[in-house]
Amino acid sequence: MVFDARIEDDKVDSDVPGIVYLSTIPNGMNVSMISDIMQQFGKIGRVYLVPKKKKVGKYRQYEEGWVEFLNKKIAKRVAKRLNCTEVLGSKRNPWFGELWNIRFLKDTSWNDLFGAEREEEEQRRTAHDRDIVVAKHQSRQFSAALDAKKLEKRMKQVKGKRFTERKPVRLNRRQKLTEDEIKEKLAHSSRTPPEGCLGFSAVSNPEFMGSLFAGGL
């Protein structure tokens, strides 16, 4: 399939890429075929076609697609030239009689179209890797516990009655009692604090602090 890809205006020098959008993909065409056709007009970059969920007939079907031209002006003229024109080919081709539905996307870059999608894919990949690390860690813990259980069972068979089963170590960290808890504990205790000590604070008593430092250093 060969097109007359001559551009009327030779002044097409541009470093800005352009995107064309294909709202429909000719029946039977794939990424390779679309790339070959578009390359006849100028250099292209990336090509992406959205496949349909279900395969109908002999060929894989695509819903829509995007083609990136390295030259913005060429992309604009290709869309203008091909839109609503018949797709070339013989009667034996599955796309015979179909028309191109293509338009130029103004002020649109490839990152604008697929940047968010790549970011979501990266987040899914990161979450998947994190799940794998957690699963491996849990697997190692289970394997170590199983090996310890097997070893303990083996030692029990060897030593018999001399074997003493190990008990798990429990670390009971007691939290420091609050002032209310201390008062409640003293109230239920037979011991009573010295007179004047309950509720006494050296820092809040200026007379005590003055007598303590009256002699100087």
Side-chain angles (χ1 to χ4, degrees), residues 1-5 7 20-22 24 26 29 33-34 36-41 67 69 74-88 98-104:
M1 185 186 306
V2 180
F3 288 85
D4 183 7
I7 302 296
V20 295
Y21 170 66
L22 289 82
T24 59
M29 286 195 179
M33 294 179 179
I34 295 293
D36 291 340
I37 294 173
M38 297 302 168
Q39 283 177 351
Q40 298 180 34
F41 297 94
V67 179
F69 282 87
I74 292 181
K76 186 175 182 179
R77 292 170 186 175
V78 168
K80 184 178 180 180
R81 186 169 186 175
L82 290 183
N83 190 39
C84 295
T85 61
E86 186 176 355
V87 182
L88 299 182
E98 296 187 22
L99 301 179
W100 288 104
N101 294 300
I102 180 173
R103 66 186 180 91
F104 173 72

Side-chain angles (χ1 to χ4, degrees), residues 27 52-61:
N27 185 29
K52 292 184 178 180
K53 295 182 179 179
K54 294 183 179 180
K55 183 178 180 180
V56 180
K58 182 179 179 181
Y59 302 96
R60 182 66 182 269
Q61 303 294 321

Side-chain angles (χ1 to χ4, degrees), residues 4 31-32 51 109 146 160-161 197:
D4 183 7
V31 175
S32 178
S109 66
L146 186 61
K161 295 182 179 181
C197 290

Side-chain angles (χ1 to χ4, degrees), residues 16 32 69 72 104 143 176 179 185 212 215:
V16 180
S32 178
F69 282 87
K72 182 178 180 180
F104 173 72
S143 179
K176 187 177 180 181
E179 186 176 353
K185 189 173 182 180
L212 182 64

